[in-house]
Amino acid sequence: MITPDAEPVIDVGKVAKLARLRLTPDEEALYAEQLARILGFVGQLSEIDVAGLEPMAHAVEVTDVFREDEPGDSLSHEDALVNAPKQDGRCFVVPAILDGK
Amino acid sequence: MSASETTAALLGRLERGETTSTALTESLLDRVAQHDESIGSFLTVNGETALETAAAIDAKRAAGERVGRLAGLPVALKDILCTKGEPTTCGSRMLEHFVPPYDAHVVERLRAEDAVLIGRTNMDEFAMDSSTENSAFQPTRNPWDTSRSPGGSSGGSAACVAAGFAPLSVGTDTGGSIRQPAAFCGVVGMKPTYGRVSRYGLVAFASSLDQIGPFAHDVHGAALLLEALAGPDERDATCIDRPVPEYTKSLDEPLAGLRVGIVPDHFGEGLDGEVDEAVREAINVYAEHGAKIVEIDLPHQKYSVAVYYLIAPSEASSNLARYDGVHYGRRAEEYTDLVDMYVASRSEAFGPEVKRRILLGTFALSEGYSDQYYNTALRVRRLIRRDFDAAFEKCDVILGPTTPTPAFGIGELVDDPLAMYLNDVYTIAANLAGLPAISLPCGFTKSGLPIGLHLQAPPFEEEGLLQAARTYERTTHWHERRTGLD
């Protein structure tokens, strides 16, 4: 449950790290203030008793949608690579992840 | 040639040979060239390919071949729908140079129905926000008053129809992004039921909420375009396999015993006086035409903005994790290692609202907080849906204002995200519950700004929703007004 009227504590620096974003000190201060206001606003949900309710992830709750497993056309190798920022004609190229390579 | 003709009028003239798609497309391209500088509705205009397509369709028609239901009609696409060989930017620096190697399902459908794809419309970055000021490339202006916003995020698609640049356009709606700009721009905009239109090839924002839908001058145009867009597609597992009615055929059938639901809370604090008056007048119009007006209660709707601003950012933070500078999209020039490459690429290419939502969603899903925020929101979402299910026992459509105010000024809300979010207070619940909903013109303010009427219906009741909308439109004629852009 959301705690009513609690001052939402949000460590924006930590959240940015999780989100793979780098913020300037100004951005960090701005987002901290704005996110605290937004989280204060969503705090109104604490008024509601949600015990026993099944979370609703989708509006039209369909599950286990199957189709025939038939071979068909797919993207060519070339097309799959065409938007890559860096590629060598066969693979996506990324910086080395192991030392010395 | 009049740039503001409806689809029905244009199709009639094309079918009778009184005009050609080439002539129509040329006149619209001229109009765009003359006027879009002041509106900014298009990011890309595809003049050459549009004219080639138009000529091919004219030849087919002249030869007496079978043509599609949109044959020769220019259609503009929100720049979030992947189109083979055409830049699909999503209004973001991240995808500035992204050229999809495939067509979205709806683009395939439009081609199959012989539409002329005239250009790609501006939008808030990744469809986040409600003003179309939040595009990385340009703001879009409201054709009724260029000091005002056209709404958003599908502001370019709404503005281009209002300005007479295209008779039809396609947008997407995650919390009101079709209906709010339709209301602000004085056109018809519809969000179909979740699962009615395939999202294959739609750049994802919040996958449990996103839907693709039509813009047009009138209900017939929206119905016609929805016929083309809707239908099953096994590449989107949430797309439901059920027949698509011929919405245009049943539009004018009399609606005996229509029950119109009204929520008294919709007419409370925060609603602009002129919007209030116009919507109440619309209720009278329905009553005069024999509809039964029923008061209903949606006790949890007041929580819908709070629920939405947990669910949508959570899904966005997950969907936008794919932008890592590896497979497509922008990669930063300078970085120290792999993780720093992700960080540098994302930090320089995403705009402020996208970052804000990624941060909010990442927080709401993070360890120790997800039950408190995200899962609580999903539970309240079920209550919101149950309220609708109960209400639709008593009525066939729910009527209210689309937006609390007419179009706000450009720059007016950009520094106050929460105030911007509250613009969607009437539209968001339909996304959370997966309902079809439409906005249609229902009047103008004294200063000449359009006002939108919002109708919502039970899932997959698009046919009845369009009939109910047409019932109003047939007797009121607000949809016939055009901007002074000439």
Side-chain angles (χ1 to χ4, degrees), chain A residues 2-13:
Chain A
I2 293 169
T3 325
D5 303 315
E7 186 71 16
V9 181
I10 175 165
D11 181 347
V12 174

Side-chain angles (χ1 to χ4, degrees), chain B residues 15-268:
Chain B
E15 280 160 11
R16 292 190 299 271
E18 293 164 17
T19 189
T20 62
S21 179
T22 304
L24 172 62
T25 306
E26 273 174 351
S27 80
L28 295 180
L29 290 169
D30 283 350
R31 188 170 168 88
V32 172
Q34 206 178 343
H35 291 295
D36 200 40
E37 203 176 329
S38 65
I39 306 297
S41 60
F42 283 99
L43 287 173
T44 318
V45 178
N46 299 322
E48 206 173 306
T49 53
L51 287 169
E52 281 169 20
T53 310
I57 294 162
D58 286 336
K60 252 169 103 171
R61 189 171 249 142
E65 284 176 47
R66 194 188 149 87
V67 291
R69 72 184 80 218
L70 300 173
L73 289 177
V75 178
L77 292 175
K78 186 176 183 179
D79 206 24
I80 194 169
L81 296 163
C82 286
T83 305
K84 190 174 180 174
E86 290 179 15
T88 299
T89 70
C90 253
S92 181
R93 295 279 171 215
M94 180 59 86
L95 292 178
E96 189 171 1
H97 303 294
F98 175 61
V99 181
Y102 69 100
D103 278 336
H105 176 78
V106 293
V107 175
E108 291 176 355
R109 293 289 311 126
L110 291 169
R111 293 192 203 277
E113 298 291 356
D114 289 324
V116 174
L117 303 180
I118 192 170
R120 312 186 60 80
T121 61
N122 195 26
M123 55 184 284
D124 288 305
E125 184 178 3
F126 284 103
M128 298 179 192
D129 232 348
S130 315
S131 73
T132 318
E133 293 163 276
N134 205 15
S135 158
F137 306 110
Q138 66 197 33
T140 297
R141 294 173 178 277
N142 192 315
W144 293 91
D145 176 350
T146 53
S147 73
R148 292 182 185 266
S149 163
S153 66
S154 310
S157 288
C160 84
V161 171
F165 298 149
L168 296 170
S169 66
V170 183
T172 60
D173 189 313
T174 303
S177 279
I178 290 175
R179 292 160 288 153
Q180 181 252 22
F184 280 13
C185 291
V187 296
V188 174
M190 182 176 182
K191 181 200 94 72
T193 307
Y194 185 78
R196 181 71 287 186
V197 179
S198 166
R199 287 98 50 86
Y200 176 76
L202 162 67
V203 180
F205 159 18
S207 301
S208 83
L209 304 164
D210 298 338
Q211 263 298 293
I212 298 168
F215 285 99
H217 282 299
D218 62 0
V219 176
H220 177 275
L224 179 72
L225 186 49
L226 182 61
E227 280 177 12
L229 301 175
D233 175 22
E234 63 186 22
R235 297 167 300 185
D236 175 359
T238 64
C239 187
I240 308 294
D241 184 3
R242 53 193 282 167
V244 181
E246 288 205 272
Y247 303 116
T248 50
K249 298 278 192 302
S250 58
L251 264 190
D252 282 300
E253 281 173 16
L255 272 180
L258 178 72
R259 298 169 303 165
V260 175
I262 308 294
V263 185
D265 285 353
H266 284 175
F267 298 87

Side-chain angles (χ1 to χ4, degrees), chain A residues 1-3 8-10 12 15-16 18-23 27 31 34-35 37-39 41-42 44-45 47-50 53-62 65 67 75 79 82-86 92-95 97, chain B residues 97-99 101 194 208 234 237 240 302-303 305-307 310 325-329 331 335 338 340-341 343-344 346-347 352 355-356 358-360 362-363 372-373 378-383 385-386 416-418 421-422 433-434:
Chain A
M1 284 293 293
I2 293 169
T3 325
V9 181
I10 175 165
V12 174
V15 176
L18 291 172
R20 300 278 191 254
L21 290 171
R22 181 155 42 233
L23 304 179
E27 282 178 317
Y31 288 133
Q34 290 177 335
L35 295 187
R37 279 189 59 211
I38 294 166
L39 290 172
F41 173 77
V42 304
Q44 61 182 284
L45 298 184
E47 300 165 16
I48 309 164
D49 180 8
V50 295
L53 284 169
E54 192 63 25
M56 182 176 168
H58 275 261
V60 178
E61 294 175 298
V62 289
V65 179
R67 63 170 168 79
L75 283 186
D79 278 348
V82 72
N83 281 288
K86 199 167 180 198
F92 297 101
V93 176
V94 296
I97 54 167
Chain B
H97 303 294
F98 175 61
V99 181
Y194 185 78
S208 83
E234 63 186 22
I240 308 294
K302 62 183 174 203
Y303 301 112
V305 177
V307 169
L310 289 170
V326 175
H327 303 96
Y328 49 83
R331 179 183 290 194
Y335 46 84
L338 182 68
D340 193 56
M341 184 193 85
V343 172
R346 292 164 63 79
S347 301
K355 285 181 186 169
R356 185 154 42 239
I358 290 174
L359 292 168
L360 183 56
T362 304
F363 175 72
Q372 190 181 346
Y373 289 107
L378 291 184
R379 291 186 166 93
V380 181
R381 181 181 190 177
R382 186 166 297 282
L383 294 173
R385 173 60 187 264
R386 283 184 187 170
D416 190 348
L418 197 51
Y421 299 167
L422 288 169

Side-chain angles (χ1 to χ4, degrees), chain B residues 360-404:
Chain B
L360 183 56
T362 304
F363 175 72
L365 291 174
S366 63
E367 196 183 351
Y369 293 100
S370 60
D371 259 347
Q372 190 181 346
Y373 289 107
Y374 180 66
N375 290 323
T376 298
L378 291 184
R379 291 186 166 93
V380 181
R381 181 181 190 177
R382 186 166 297 282
L383 294 173
I384 291 169
R385 173 60 187 264
R386 283 184 187 170
D387 287 351
F388 278 114
D389 290 344
F392 285 126
E393 299 279 313
K394 297 181 198 150
C395 64
D396 305 303
V397 294
I398 297 172
L399 177 154
T402 308
T403 57

